[in-house]
Amino acid sequence: MKHTVQKLIVSLLILLLPLGCAMNPVSNIFGMIGIINLSEIDDNRPGNLTDRDEIVAVYHENGEAFLNAAETGSFQDLESIYGVSEVIVDDRYIDIEFGGSGFGSSTNYYGIFYSETDQLNAFQLGPSPMIELVPKDGGFSFTDSYHGGNGFYVEPLGNHYFYYETHF
């Protein structure tokens, strides 16, 4: 049902796009993109969780599910947890995405990743392993002032899970 409604919304937007662009091309295109992104929000989870405390609370409230996922390797099951928007499985880590904000070069991402080896920068958006992370607020951070202030913060949660946020 969800996908049918999404397809209907996207189809209507595509039909209405030429009319909106004729009135004000730039703002209407970005408005349509925003509406399309909202259609991806599932009814049983928030569309964008970006607060550290809320994300860490989700981890602690669902500790058994996170432990079970690590033990069984069934990380996709975590997508049913309220707050999780997507789970990406990679050879080196599991990315449990919660949300993001911004556009283009001013983008922020928030979530939890799993690293069986407890590597603080195993995550795809983390800094190179050769970059030294500095202790900060119970976790570790890196800020690249040379490239416009890109940043990375990681905080161990236990059981090979880490809270992360990246800023570009």
Side-chain angles (χ1 to χ4, degrees), residues 39-92:
S39 71
E40 292 296 320
I41 296 173
D42 194 336
D43 291 340
N44 70 344
R45 34 184 118 126
N48 202 21
L49 204 55
T50 60
D51 180 75
R52 179 216 165 270
D53 293 339
E54 289 179 16
I55 294 170
V56 171
V58 168
Y59 171 77
H60 290 298
E61 290 166 5
N62 296 279
E64 189 173 319
F66 280 90
L67 278 175
N68 187 47
E71 289 173 2
T72 64
S74 298
F75 291 94
Q76 297 299 346
D77 294 344
L78 296 176
E79 285 186 347
S80 65
I81 293 175
Y82 184 83
V84 175
S85 60
E86 185 176 8
V87 175
I88 299 170
V89 178
D90 186 90
D91 293 339
R92 298 169 293 144

Side-chain angles (χ1 to χ4, degrees), residues 6-167:
Q6 287 177 343
K7 288 178 184 176
L8 178 63
I9 291 171
V10 170
S11 298
L12 287 172
L13 291 174
I14 290 170
L15 291 173
L16 295 173
L17 186 61
L19 176 63
C21 290
M23 294 178 186
N24 186 344
V26 175
S27 66
N28 284 305
I29 288 173
F30 287 116
M32 293 290 183
I33 291 169
I35 292 171
I36 291 169
N37 285 340
L38 288 177
S39 71
E40 292 296 320
I41 296 173
D42 194 336
D43 291 340
N44 70 344
R45 34 184 118 126
N48 202 21
L49 204 55
T50 60
D51 180 75
R52 179 216 165 270
D53 293 339
E54 289 179 16
I55 294 170
V56 171
V58 168
Y59 171 77
H60 290 298
E61 290 166 5
N62 296 279
E64 189 173 319
F66 280 90
L67 278 175
N68 187 47
E71 289 173 2
T72 64
S74 298
F75 291 94
Q76 297 299 346
D77 294 344
L78 296 176
E79 285 186 347
S80 65
I81 293 175
Y82 184 83
V84 175
S85 60
E86 185 176 8
V87 175
I88 299 170
V89 178
D90 186 90
D91 293 339
R92 298 169 293 144
Y93 61 88
I94 309 300
D95 179 8
I96 302 131
E97 295 181 352
F98 279 79
S101 63
F103 184 76
S105 63
S106 296
T107 306
N108 306 296
Y109 298 100
Y110 303 87
I112 293 172
F113 72 87
Y114 174 85
S115 169
E116 193 170 295
T117 61
D118 287 335
Q119 189 174 354
L120 293 175
N121 55 359
F123 176 61
Q124 69 175 343
L125 297 176
S128 159
M130 299 179 69
I131 301 287
E132 182 178 343
L133 296 170
V134 180
K136 178 184 176 186
D137 300 331
F140 301 89
S141 71
F142 165 74
T143 302
D144 182 5
S145 57
Y146 181 74
H147 291 101
N150 295 342
F152 177 71
Y153 175 77
V154 60
E155 181 178 321
L157 298 174
N159 301 310
H160 309 291
Y161 284 98
F162 300 85
Y163 166 78
Y164 74 83
E165 54 186 71
T166 59
H167 308 281

